[in-house]
Amino acid sequence: MEVTLNHFLFVSGLLFAIGLAGVLVRRNVIVIFMCLELMLSAANLSLVAFSRFNLTESGGPDYNAQVFLFFIITVAAAEVAVGLAIIVALYRAKQTTDVTQINSMKN
Amino acid sequence: MPAYYLEIIVVVLGLTVLMVETFVSLRDKRSLGWLAILGLLVVLVLNFTVVETGGEGGNTPFWSFYVMDIPAQWFKGLALLATIFVILMSVDFSRVLSKGICPEVEDDGVDDCAENQVALSEFFALPIFICAGMMWMASAHHLVSIFVALETVTIGFYVIVAFMRRNVGSLEAGVKYLILGALSTGFLVYGFAWLFGVTGEMELGAIADALNAPDVHRTGALFAFALILIALCFKIGAVPFQIWIPDVYQGAPMPVTAFLSVGSKAAGFVILLRLLEPFMASEMLNANVTSVLVIIAAATILFGNLAALPQTNFKRLLAYSSVSHAGFLLMAVASAPAHPGVVSPVAAVSYYLAAYLMMTMLAFLIMNLIRVQRGDENLEAYKGLAKSSPFLAFAMLVAMASLAGVPLTAGFVGKFWVFVLALQEKHYYLVAFGVIGAAAGFYYYLKIVKSMYWDSPADAGSSAAVPVVVAWPTRIAIVLLVVGVFYFGVNPGALLSLFL
């Protein structure tokens, strides 16, 4: 069987859906954060697939998308660095990483 | 001077603030705030002198990701102004801030951490870096550069929202903003990937051409549009993605709340305008895009205004008010550009955001003073303010009148054009929702005016009778904003002539 663009897009859509579902149903902030990273990976996979199958005139892949991918990875790393620092600070203040416990603000 | 020097200067200014803090021993670190404000004022002046690179400069292949047109210049100015006011507020806020950073004072009663003004310089430097991101966003014309600029702003905001790390409210706001901000990034990137897949292009001009071509994959393009719209609705706080707004605004330190509600929203709208342009220009997608925007605008206006009615915390009230203003702005975004004799949607949005900056910053400057000196963010603290501090009460009256949309203020003109545009488009249901929303707005904005002028403080002998001290830079800022609200309300052409 030949692997086509649709196969890649299906897997990437699946990854995105798993990530989104994880963000919505999980309660642990760390797990939610990992699911968010999964969503970014899904986007990366689509980008590479589109780059591989949208051939340019010279017959090579479109490297625009692959460069974009490196930007996404870099930004995601920065986001994780800041995010984990905030989660650690939260844990030290409240002794919990359960999102249902983060509800001190009310009308 | 080429336009991109502005961002470079701003980044260097941020680094300078950090370097001065490291290598110079300052007695009072608030002077770093004045340094930052001075530097940003210089950049604000330089912003008027830059050359436009829409013409010959913009055609070089390497620079296709950066444009300098009138909206770009306008939004760079807004970002700079917002940052200046925010740093001014941070100077006033510094005492509360150190309380939020430092551990509990030990038994000997000496508060070393607050004495040394720990981490204050970072609190001045981070808004400057965020400002550089917003300025780049105003010029970004390429998916990669939009993404990187947007993330510079968002990640900077994660840090300053959670800045008071001993304060549970600030931390909670930080975590909520982190999760929902990262979620919106996920949607945005996935949408960008699909947009690239459908069009094969990354530059917005080329994307517009590709979307107009007859052989474009319609479902794929609409899927990309939906993902991008979800992400940007998070940023601007439109229904149904506004859930984070009240909690984050309430928990974040006061200057950061002001920055979020003005700077972040303006940056979100400039990106929205740039990214929607190709979709609106495509005949095949135009109808779907417009109808989705109209529904979101109506829901946002209705939700923001009705949810604001019962609020008793002033910050939370302004959070819902910012949701409702996002709705009014979307009314303008949803209209097509070509109507002879009427302002273009871009001009209407730009004017509205400038007016929104003036009135919201005015309200936040005063709230900030009350918060620092009376330690209270609730509406209770404003009872009888007209007796103890008539100047502040009058300025707050102007801000509230403009936010509600009383004629002769900038807020009225902004709303007026938005309604005119919606009527031109024959969006009559949307106009009806807008009228309901604006009417509800009068109730909760004027409730504050009532409590300032007609109510007396709950306990007469307490701090509520003491006048609020206003330092002279803050006083100048308040006077300038009050004058601005009236001047541009009576004479809107002074601002709009830039777009004609």
Side-chain angles (χ1 to χ4, degrees):
Chain A
M1 186 188 76
E2 195 194 351
V3 181
T4 60
L5 177 61
N6 284 347
H7 293 92
F8 283 102
L9 291 183
F10 181 75
V11 172
S12 121
L14 207 59
L15 269 180
F16 191 82
I18 292 170
L20 184 59
V23 172
L24 294 178
V25 301
R26 288 307 196 100
R27 291 170 159 199
N28 188 315
V29 181
I30 307 266
V31 178
I32 289 178
F33 212 56
M34 284 157 63
C35 292
L36 289 167
E37 295 305 310
L38 206 58
M39 290 169 72
L40 288 182
S41 304
N44 284 344
L45 182 58
S46 316
L47 271 174
V48 176
F50 281 130
S51 150
R52 172 71 183 72
F53 288 93
N54 277 353
L55 297 184
T56 53
E57 282 152 16
S58 60
D62 189 338
Y63 288 112
N64 264 326
Q66 303 196 9
V67 173
F68 190 13
L69 180 137
F70 286 113
F71 277 98
I72 294 172
I73 293 174
T74 317
V75 165
E79 206 169 64
V80 168
V82 170
L84 286 182
I86 293 174
I87 294 171
V88 168
L90 180 83
Y91 183 77
R92 283 167 62 162
K94 296 199 74 160
Q95 308 298 322
T96 178
T97 53
D98 187 342
V99 281
T100 52
Q101 304 292 316
I102 308 177
N103 53 2
S104 70
M105 276 171 290
K106 281 272 154 20
N107 307 4
Chain B
M1 192 181 77
Y4 55 88
Y5 277 26
L6 295 176
E7 283 88 357
I8 297 177
I9 297 173
V10 172
V11 169
V12 170
L13 177 70
L15 291 174
T16 312
V17 169
L18 289 178
M19 287 296 136
V20 170
E21 203 267 340
T22 311
F23 294 111
V24 182
S25 67
L26 295 162
R27 202 178 307 129
D28 188 350
K29 286 187 184 159
R30 281 179 295 181
S31 49
L32 288 169
W34 304 125
L35 172 72
I37 290 173
L38 211 63
L40 290 172
L41 280 174
V42 171
V43 180
L44 186 61
V45 173
L46 288 178
N47 186 32
F48 292 104
T49 68
V50 294
V51 289
E52 288 184 33
T53 58
E56 74 274 31
N59 285 337
T60 54
F62 183 64
W63 277 101
S64 61
F65 61 79
Y66 189 96
V67 290
M68 188 64 187
D69 47 9
I70 294 291
Q73 197 169 11
W74 178 281
F75 281 102
K76 278 181 210 283
L78 285 190
L80 284 164
L81 269 178
T83 316
I84 290 169
F85 285 120
V86 164
I87 295 179
L88 189 64
M89 286 167 70
S90 308
V91 173
D92 285 335
F93 196 73
S94 58
R95 284 212 75 78
V96 182
L97 192 73
S98 53
K99 244 182 242 160
I101 297 171
C102 299
E104 294 296 315
V105 183
E106 285 168 28
D107 293 337
D108 56 0
V110 183
D111 193 348
D112 286 336
C113 179
E115 277 310 293
N116 294 332
Q117 298 177 315
V118 169
L120 192 58
S121 62
E122 285 91 328
F123 200 65
F124 295 137
L126 282 165
I128 302 178
F129 293 127
I130 294 174
C131 176
M134 287 175 182
M135 290 168 68
W136 192 274
M137 230 195 268
S139 286
H141 214 251
H142 188 277
L143 296 186
V144 177
S145 99
I146 289 174
F147 170 71
V148 173
L150 195 68
E151 285 307 297
T152 313
V153 172
T154 312
I155 294 178
F157 266 120
Y158 295 155
V159 181
I160 55 173
V161 166
F163 203 82
M164 303 204 296
R165 61 173 184 269
R166 307 283 165 184
N167 178 320
V168 175
S170 176
L171 273 178
E172 281 193 22
V175 170
K176 281 177 185 167
Y177 189 57
L178 173 74
I179 292 173
L180 290 169
L183 187 63
S184 85
T185 304
F187 277 105
L188 187 77
V189 173
Y190 202 54
F192 279 1
W194 272 85
L195 191 55
F196 169 78
V198 169
T199 61
E201 298 289 346
M202 286 261 173
E203 204 271 317
L204 288 183
I207 288 176
D209 293 342
L211 284 180
N212 253 330
D215 61 336
V216 63
H217 194 292
R218 187 161 178 278
T219 319
L222 281 176
F223 185 53
F225 166 74
L227 289 167
I228 292 172
L229 189 68
I230 288 172
L232 290 176
C233 282
F234 270 113
K235 300 285 176 214
I236 61 175
V239 171
F241 307 104
Q242 87 301 353
I243 27 169
W244 60 277
I245 292 227
D247 284 352
V248 173
Y249 278 33
Q250 189 186 343
M254 189 73 83
V256 179
T257 310
F259 207 18
L260 268 178
S261 83
V262 176
S264 179
K265 188 165 302 249
F269 268 100
V270 70
I271 292 290
L272 186 65
L273 286 173
R274 292 248 192 249
L275 281 172
L276 279 185
E277 209 182 330
F279 288 101
M280 298 286 268
S282 159
E283 271 177 37
M284 190 176 62
L285 306 170
N286 180 299
N288 302 61
V289 170
T290 313
S291 57
V292 171
L293 285 175
V294 166
I295 292 168
I296 292 180
T300 308
I301 291 173
L302 209 60
F303 174 85
N305 281 300
L306 296 185
L309 290 175
Q311 300 304 325
T312 54
N313 180 302
F314 202 166
K315 253 167 135 183
R316 215 174 164 87
L317 191 150
L318 279 190
Y320 285 110
S321 133
S322 100
V323 172
S324 80
H325 284 283
F328 286 117
L329 282 157
L330 278 174
M331 270 172 91
V333 173
S335 21
H339 287 294
V342 187
V343 290
S344 69
V346 175
V349 169
S350 305
Y351 181 87
Y352 199 115
L353 280 168
Y356 182 68
L357 180 145
M358 288 191 284
M359 53 212 192
T360 310
M361 275 299 168
L362 189 54
F364 271 106
L365 275 169
I366 298 160
M367 279 166 72
N368 189 42
L369 289 171
I370 305 271
R371 166 75 182 83
V372 171
Q373 294 177 30
R374 297 195 177 159
D376 198 349
E377 288 171 359
N378 291 316
L379 293 180
E380 287 287 307
Y382 294 82
K383 282 186 173 173
L385 190 69
K387 287 215 180 60
S388 58
S389 322
F391 169 68
L392 288 185
F394 175 72
M396 189 58 108
L397 166 71
V398 172
M400 289 304 128
S402 182
L403 281 167
V406 174
L408 299 183
T409 60
F412 170 75
V413 182
K415 277 208 180 70
F416 175 76
W417 275 322
V418 165
F419 278 105
V420 168
L421 278 172
L423 282 173
Q424 290 281 337
E425 290 284 305
K426 302 198 169 44
H427 292 150
Y428 295 123
Y429 287 108
L430 183 54
V431 172
F433 278 108
V435 170
I436 295 172
F442 268 91
Y443 169 74
Y444 60 82
Y445 291 126
L446 296 183
K447 191 168 74 177
I448 295 155
V449 174
K450 172 185 163 281
S451 77
M452 285 191 307
Y453 280 88
W454 282 282
D455 290 354
S456 46
D459 40 347
S462 71
S463 64
V466 183
V468 176
V469 185
V470 191
W472 64 265
T474 313
R475 191 176 284 270
I476 291 176
I478 291 176
V479 170
L480 279 178
L481 286 171
V482 168
V483 172
V485 166
F486 281 124
Y487 180 73
F488 295 116
V490 177
N491 187 10
L495 280 179
L496 269 186
S497 57
L498 287 172
F499 284 91
L500 299 175

